[in-house]
């Protein structure tokens, strides 16, 4: 780091980015897909596709619990919402702690109350957790490594802004069919177009993992929430190490009272109060005249309150409001900032439009990292071609970038093609992901040229293009619902990007040809030398 500030930032930008480029691409790519974690999990459990939300979904769940757990101390009903098509019913008997409700839970058809048995799957939770704690390593070690990489990403973004002398002019420049200049322009465009998002998502992610970078902090960092994921209906599969059930202590027998008629009333009252539909009802002492109904909904009061930022209403067995459960507030400023960043990073506040905007911004971030890694190779190709270290980076680029897309597509295909009754099925989905990714990395090392890029990108394009057809062919309900349409649309967007890359890779040889017997010396003489600190030098 010698010379001017801009020259030092150029060096820092180059080496902080390239040393973490491959893992950063994986973090950005899987994190971008994780914005649709609920939709992915819904798609990967086709047995749930038969469920259609209805106005009486709460009563349907109530009738189920009446027959399943009539003597329970507490019932909980999670209703369908914008990102959920089924009803979840759970219960807790006397003498059991609330943790036990996770294992005593059923997923129901929202129209009929039929209990559904979805296949075991890692779902969108695997992609979500992989993007901040990796896989196959101790959780603390994975989060620490991702935290270090996130710090390098933040350094790369800040140094990239400082070194760009013409950052706004470069934003409006794109020179196709110019090989190196095209990669430079594409990298700059993807970087600048969503720069506020890149800063927000990197800084907030670094803050969430900040505890892992402190060796004296025994609590660790992480995105919070239970190990099985914090999505709707506890996505992510069964919890490991769950507490054993205690001896059930049933409450004394009491006159059976049918409280189902109150459900619609208390839900309507809560919805009128908040302006949004209720999505969860907790009934204590069900079936008695002392029953209470706690109703909550997506009525978030403030982001700084974190996951406890929703207020609730408690009704008695007569339908009268007993009390208002105020949204919890952060105990101090530092916790409020942490909660705010957690809500931003995970888009817990986002509606459909905002979620799509974040998804597109995530794609730009993925392209920014990918084009940066490719640009590093392209700028050194003439001087370092054939050197062992350069060839290693060149080949690994293919497997780490195009190969990751192939592996993700294979992960979705494995979900539908593996037998539904297969033991440890979710593990085999994940194994399919890593086996395919490993094969792509090896293939990239053997075929490090344009053909290697072309083949792997083509496979990724085909896999993502036919995912909607795979969905129709293997789902018990051929006509997709809204959640499946969202997932299929996201896959087609990725497929379109892959097909665009395929077309460019096929057309590249023609653009490189010079007239027979002549060297393009005129063009070389006319090309202006990049000024110090300009785009050509900045992306060194």
């Amino acid at each position: 780091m010698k010379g001017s500030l801009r020259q030092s930032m150029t060096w820092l930008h180059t080496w902080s980015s390239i040393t973490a480029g491959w893992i950063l691409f994986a973090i950005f790519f899987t994190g971008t897909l994780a914005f649709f974690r609920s939709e992915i999990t819904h798609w990967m459990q086709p047995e749930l596709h038969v469920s259609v939300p209805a106005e009486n979904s709460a009563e349907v769940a109530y009738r189920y619990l009446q027959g399943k757990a009539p003597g329970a101390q507490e019932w909980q009903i999670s209703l369908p919402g914008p990102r959920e098509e089924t009803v979840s019913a759970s219960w807790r008997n006397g003498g059991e702690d609330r943790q036990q409700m996770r294992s005593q839970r059923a997923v129901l058809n929202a129209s009929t109350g039929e209990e559904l048995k979805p296949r075991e799957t890692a779902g969108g939770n695997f992609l979500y957790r992989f993007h901040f704690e990796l896989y196959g390593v101790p959780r603390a070690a994975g989060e620490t490594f991702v935290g270090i990489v996130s710090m390098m990403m933040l350094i790369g973004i800040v140094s990239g802004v400082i070194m760009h002398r013409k950052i706004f002019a470069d934003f409006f420049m794109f020179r196709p069919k110019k090989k190196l200049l095209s990669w430079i322009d594409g990298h700059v465009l993807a970087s600048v177009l969503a720069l506020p998002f890149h800063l927000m998502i990197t800084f907030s992610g670094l803050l969430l993992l900040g505890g892992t970078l402190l060796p004296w902090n025994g609590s660790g960092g992480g995105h919070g929430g239970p190990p099985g994921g914090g999505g709707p209906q506890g996505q992510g599969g069964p919890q490991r190490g769950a507490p054993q059930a205690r001896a059930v202590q049933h409450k004394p027998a009491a006159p059976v009272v049918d409280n189902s008629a109150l459900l619609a009333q208390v839900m309507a009252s809560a919805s009128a109060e908040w302006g949004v539909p209720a999505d969860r009802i907790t009934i204590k002492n069900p079936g008695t005249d002392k029953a209470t109904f706690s109703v909550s909904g997506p009525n978030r009061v403030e982001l700084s309150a974190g996951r406890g930022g929703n207020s609730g209403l408690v009704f008695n067995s007569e339908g009268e409001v007993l009390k208002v459960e105020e949204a919890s507030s952060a105990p101090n400023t530092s916790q409020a900032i942490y909660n705010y960043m957690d809500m931003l990073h995970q888009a817990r506040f986002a509606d459909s439009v905002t979620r799509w905007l974040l998804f597109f911004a995530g794609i730009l971030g993925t392209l920014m990292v990918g084009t940066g890694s490719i640009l590093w190779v392209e700028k050194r190709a003439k001087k370092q071609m054939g050197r062992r270290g350069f060839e290693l980076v060149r080949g690994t680029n293919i497997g780490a970038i195009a190969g990751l897309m192939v592996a993700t597509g294979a992960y979705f295909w494995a979900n539908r093609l593996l037998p539904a009754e297969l033991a440890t099925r979710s593990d085999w989905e994940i194994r399919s992901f890593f086996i395919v990714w490993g094969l792509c990395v090896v293939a990239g090392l053997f075929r490090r040229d344009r053909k290697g890029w072309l083949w792997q990108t083509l496979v990724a394009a085909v896999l993502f293009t036919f995912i909607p057809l795979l969905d129709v062919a293997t789902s018990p309900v051929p006509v997709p619902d809204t959640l499946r349409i969202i997932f299929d649309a996201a896959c087609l967007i990725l497929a379109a990007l892959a097909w665009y890359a395929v077309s460019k890779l096929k057309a590249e040889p023609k653009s490189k040809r010079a007239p027979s017997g002549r060297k393009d010396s005129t063009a070389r003489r006319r090309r202006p030398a990049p000024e110090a600190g300009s785009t050509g030098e900045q992306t060194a």
Side-chain angles (χ1 to χ4, degrees):
M1 295 181 62
K2 299 179 180 180
S4 65
L5 173 64
R6 186 169 286 112
Q7 290 173 331
S8 298
M9 290 299 102
T10 299
W11 182 93
L12 186 61
H13 177 80
T14 299
W15 293 105
S16 65
S17 302
I18 192 60
T19 52
W22 298 325
I23 190 63
L24 277 175
F25 183 86
I27 291 171
F28 256 96
F29 184 72
T30 55
T32 298
L33 291 176
F35 283 129
F36 292 123
R37 176 168 50 137
S38 297
E39 291 79 359
I40 292 173
T41 301
H42 176 76
W43 187 93
M44 296 179 75
Q45 292 182 320
E47 294 80 8
L48 304 183
H49 298 172
V50 299
S51 178
V52 179
E55 292 184 0
N56 66 334
S57 293
E59 184 178 349
V60 161
Y62 186 95
R63 298 299 180 198
Y64 173 85
L65 288 168
Q66 271 186 323
K68 186 71 174 181
Q73 182 179 353
E74 181 179 334
W75 294 347
Q76 191 173 91
I77 301 172
S78 295
L79 300 170
R83 305 181 68 197
E84 195 65 48
E85 299 285 342
T86 59
V87 173
S88 173
S90 54
W91 60 94
R92 179 170 65 91
N93 296 309
E96 296 175 347
D97 57 26
R98 302 189 66 85
Q99 195 80 358
Q100 191 65 23
M101 296 184 75
R102 292 186 181 179
S103 60
Q104 297 174 160
R105 169 182 170 271
V107 180
L108 310 176
N109 186 320
S111 297
T112 66
E114 175 190 3
E115 185 173 353
L116 303 176
K117 300 292 185 181
R119 65 186 59 189
E120 182 189 355
T121 180
N125 195 62
F126 163 68
L127 299 172
Y128 163 70
R129 302 202 74 83
F130 177 82
H131 104 276
F132 71 92
E133 66 181 27
L134 306 180
Y135 183 82
V137 297
R139 179 177 177 179
E143 290 181 349
T144 300
F145 182 71
V146 173
I148 295 172
V149 170
S150 299
M151 177 64 77
M152 298 174 72
M153 178 67 184
L154 185 62
I155 292 173
I157 292 175
V158 175
S159 59
V161 171
I162 295 175
M163 75 185 198
H164 268 93
R165 178 178 297 175
K166 303 176 180 178
I167 187 170
F168 293 107
D170 291 341
F171 172 74
F172 297 99
M173 182 182 297
F174 185 70
R175 293 159 287 190
K177 299 181 180 180
K178 294 293 185 180
K179 198 170 174 56
L180 180 59
L181 293 178
S182 298
W183 285 115
I184 294 174
D185 295 342
H187 179 67
V188 172
L189 185 62
S191 303
V192 178
L193 188 60
L195 182 59
F197 169 82
H198 301 330
L199 286 169
M200 181 277 292
I201 206 71
T202 304
F203 180 75
S204 60
L206 181 60
L207 182 64
L208 297 180
L209 293 171
T212 65
L213 303 180
L214 305 176
W216 56 85
N217 179 22
S219 61
H223 287 212
Q233 298 191 6
Q235 295 168 3
Q239 301 292 326
R240 298 178 181 177
Q244 299 297 319
R246 299 178 184 175
V248 177
Q249 301 175 6
H250 293 285
K251 61 184 180 182
V256 176
V257 179
D258 189 349
N259 308 122
S260 61
L262 284 174
L263 290 177
Q265 177 184 337
V266 299
M267 288 169 56
S269 299
S271 298
E273 175 73 19
W274 303 324
V276 293
D279 63 6
R280 179 172 295 182
I281 303 173
T282 300
I283 307 173
K284 294 183 178 180
N285 302 314
T288 71
D289 55 4
K290 295 183 179 180
T292 59
F293 300 78
S294 299
V295 185
S296 60
N299 55 322
R300 185 162 299 283
V301 178
E302 54 181 351
L303 292 180
S304 61
R307 303 183 190 186
N310 302 63
S311 62
L313 294 174
V314 181
F315 299 83
N316 62 17
S317 59
E318 302 296 327
E320 302 170 342
V321 177
L322 287 178
K323 65 175 180 177
V324 177
E325 295 179 332
E326 299 291 344
S328 61
S329 58
N332 50 58
T333 302
S334 61
Q335 185 64 49
I337 294 174
Y338 181 92
N339 291 341
Y340 190 86
M341 290 299 176
D342 177 55
M343 302 302 291
L344 280 178
H345 190 88
Q346 301 192 55
R348 294 185 180 273
F349 65 95
D351 56 16
S352 297
V353 174
T354 305
R355 195 169 297 277
W356 273 110
L357 291 175
L358 291 171
F359 176 77
F360 284 114
I363 288 178
L364 288 173
T366 305
L367 292 175
M368 172 186 68
V369 177
T371 53
S373 297
I374 296 171
L375 183 59
W376 189 92
V377 171
E378 292 294 328
K379 287 189 67 68
R380 290 158 177 78
K382 291 184 178 179
K383 294 182 178 180
Q384 300 187 23
M385 188 72 72
R387 294 184 181 179
R388 183 177 302 175
F390 175 82
E391 294 297 332
L392 178 63
V393 174
R394 184 186 177 206
T396 308
N397 259 357
I398 301 174
I401 297 174
L404 179 63
M405 293 188 63
V406 175
T408 306
Y411 173 68
F412 297 138
W413 276 77
N415 167 260
R416 292 297 182 89
L417 298 182
L418 290 172
E421 64 281 358
L422 180 66
T424 63
R425 195 178 181 283
S426 61
D427 291 337
W428 277 108
E429 289 177 354
I430 297 173
R431 287 169 189 160
S432 300
F433 173 87
F434 284 106
I435 289 172
V436 172
W437 196 7
L439 291 174
C440 289
V441 171
V442 173
L445 293 174
F446 278 96
R447 192 68 195 238
R448 301 182 294 274
D449 56 4
R450 182 183 59 84
K451 285 287 187 181
W453 278 105
L454 177 61
W455 292 345
Q456 294 201 27
T457 307
L458 180 61
V459 172
V462 171
L463 288 175
F464 280 101
T465 298
F466 287 99
I467 278 179
L469 295 180
L470 175 69
D471 181 25
V472 172
T474 57
S475 172
V477 182
V479 180
D481 54 42
T482 303
L483 300 181
R484 290 160 64 192
I485 290 174
I486 290 174
F487 175 77
D488 290 341
C491 289
L492 290 177
I493 290 171
L494 296 177
L497 293 172
W499 282 118
Y500 177 78
V502 168
S503 66
K504 291 300 180 182
L505 288 166
K506 285 185 175 180
E508 189 173 336
K510 297 180 181 179
S511 64
K512 291 169 60 178
R513 291 175 184 170
S516 179
R518 291 178 53 192
K519 292 184 178 179
D520 198 6
S521 57
T522 305
R524 195 158 47 244
R525 287 197 302 271
R526 291 178 180 175
R527 182 182 300 170
E531 73 178 273
S534 68
T535 305
E537 181 184 349
Q538 292 153 6
T539 50

